[in-house]
Amino acid sequence: MSRRVLAILTVACAVAVGNVYFPQAVAPLVAAGLHLPPDAGALVVTATQAGYTAGIVLLVPLGDRFPHRTFLVVLLALTGLGLLAAGCAPALPPLVAASALVGLTTVGAQVVGPLAAGLVAADRRGAVLGTLLSGSTGGMLLARTFSGTLGEWLGWRAPYLVAAALALLLSAGLAVTVPVTPASTHRRYPALLAEPLRLLRAEPDLRRSCVYQAAVFAGFSAVWTCLALLLTGPAYGLGAQAVGMLALVGAATMLCTPVAGRLVDRLGPDPVNLVCMLGVLLSAAVLAAGSLGGTAGLAALTLGTLLLDVAMQSGMVANQARVYALRPDARGRLNTAYMTCAYLGGSAGSWLGVRVWGAAGWRGVCALVALLATLALTRHLLARARCRPRRRRRTGRPRAGARVACSGTGREPAGTGSPSSTHRRALR
């Protein structure tokens, strides 16, 4: 993969993810501009996020059915048209409908990952995935700042119209830059929708990657859901702007994820996962000091959220490298299973976090994060223990059929770059 292709794919990830998050900053402006109650603008955010979740389930598996470049171009073009419709919407109902369409089609980042994994050698996959994830993080952070500032200057419609122009221009750029890749399966759509569940049953490394990310993302969501309650409560008495400023700490992950990707290429995903889980445990201990309040508590929250963000995002690089190495012709369906589990974990973490906050306060939330990280770490250690050869011949070599190492190395060994004929028949 050339640097030019990697650069435009990284931008595609940033734009696609940014379209999910920028409505959060302009929701109050939408309500004011349409002369609605202040909380009415939240419907736009909800519709976008609901559409995005549906897109992961309903559209991402089609990345295995159609050529990646064509699929990406169509998705971005539809996103651009949806953003244009949202920016011209005369009332809230058509705006909500257009926002749902935007969320449904702006799943390009989930298609770019499988595409990039197939364009690079296995020993560079981690570095490329880390770069793409840094683009997604940058899009998430910059989109909020950009849309909020532009909305204040020119009104709430301006961010939608500018985002529409970016999506349409990027669609044209991808059409002439990204190489053509053939479809990896010809299965019908209903079979593609059911395939992620079958893959979860068939692939142990997919299941454990899902467990790792769901547990860590649940802790991440619990912290960020309850952080606003802590900062605006009596311990600090700050405004909502303080949460936004603290979120900018996550920009450091843009530098860390490419480094994590290179470590995955060198060492495999399992050691990186181990360090990330230990990092989440350490972040829980540091975050607990945030309950003290004052300057020391705010410093602990800053350092703790930084550790948590870096550990969560770096762990995602390791998990995706492991998942994409399993079956090259089913990467879209593998990614659907993985991301669905991750988002379910995040939703559960937000729900649990609020309830733990009400019962045990901030330290209870930190204990929840530590518990989730411990569960993931225990699962990881058990998986590593099973990776050792069970039986050996007298010569010291493994018996035929014995597993010498985990398949989750992030690499396809020589001769195993494609699934077996049995797997091919099952997937096609």
Side-chain angles (χ1 to χ4, degrees), residues 387-393 397-405:
C387 290
R388 298 168 185 168
R390 303 283 178 87
R391 298 177 183 175
R392 290 180 178 272
R393 295 180 178 177
R397 295 180 180 178
R399 67 172 179 84
R403 296 185 68 174
V404 178

Side-chain angles (χ1 to χ4, degrees), residues 312-366:
M312 191 274 290
Q313 299 279 31
S314 299
M316 178 173 281
V317 175
N319 290 327
Q320 287 185 319
R322 181 187 297 108
V323 168
Y324 290 152
L326 294 175
R327 297 189 186 180
D329 62 343
R331 287 186 174 124
R333 286 160 283 174
L334 288 165
N335 197 42
T336 295
Y338 172 74
M339 293 304 299
T340 300
C341 291
Y343 275 96
L344 287 174
S347 300
S350 297
W351 184 84
L352 282 172
V354 172
R355 279 144 187 81
V356 171
W357 167 269
W362 179 249
R363 292 193 177 183
V365 174
C366 296

Side-chain angles (χ1 to χ4, degrees), residues 133 137 140-141 144 213 216-217 219-221 223-224 227 246-254 256-257 276 279-280 283 287 301-316:
L133 189 55
T137 303
M140 178 180 65
L141 296 173
R144 291 166 173 161
Q213 194 62 33
V216 172
F217 195 36
F220 175 88
S221 299
V223 165
W224 282 101
L227 193 60
L246 196 59
L248 292 177
V249 171
T253 59
M254 296 175 62
C256 296
T257 50
C276 291
V280 175
S283 73
L287 285 167
L301 292 177
T302 302
L303 178 59
T305 52
L306 175 60
L307 283 171
L308 182 60
D309 284 10
V310 170
M312 191 274 290
Q313 299 279 31
S314 299
M316 178 173 281

Side-chain angles (χ1 to χ4, degrees), residues 158-238:
Y160 281 96
L161 297 177
V162 172
L166 285 175
L168 293 172
L169 287 173
L170 187 58
S171 176
L174 288 169
V176 298
T177 304
V178 176
V180 177
T181 56
S184 60
T185 185
H186 299 287
R187 302 194 74 184
R188 294 184 176 181
Y189 184 59
L192 289 176
L193 291 183
E195 193 64 31
L197 290 176
R198 296 194 186 102
L199 289 169
L200 277 170
R201 290 196 299 267
E203 296 291 346
D205 282 332
L206 173 61
R207 289 198 300 272
R208 68 185 182 102
S209 297
C210 290
V211 169
Y212 299 164
Q213 194 62 33
V216 172
F217 195 36
F220 175 88
S221 299
V223 165
W224 282 101
T225 299
C226 298
L227 193 60
L229 301 175
L230 176 66
L231 291 177
T232 57
Y236 290 93
L238 299 175

Side-chain angles (χ1 to χ4, degrees), residues 360-415:
W362 179 249
R363 292 193 177 183
V365 174
C366 296
L368 173 64
V369 174
L371 175 61
L372 291 167
T374 301
L375 292 174
L377 180 60
T378 302
R379 175 68 178 85
H380 183 65
L381 295 176
L382 289 174
R384 294 304 302 162
R386 296 192 193 103
C387 290
R388 298 168 185 168
R390 303 283 178 87
R391 298 177 183 175
R392 290 180 178 272
R393 295 180 178 177
R394 292 180 181 179
T395 58
R397 295 180 180 178
R399 67 172 179 84
R403 296 185 68 174
V404 178
C406 288
S407 59
T409 60
R411 306 176 178 87
E412 289 107 15

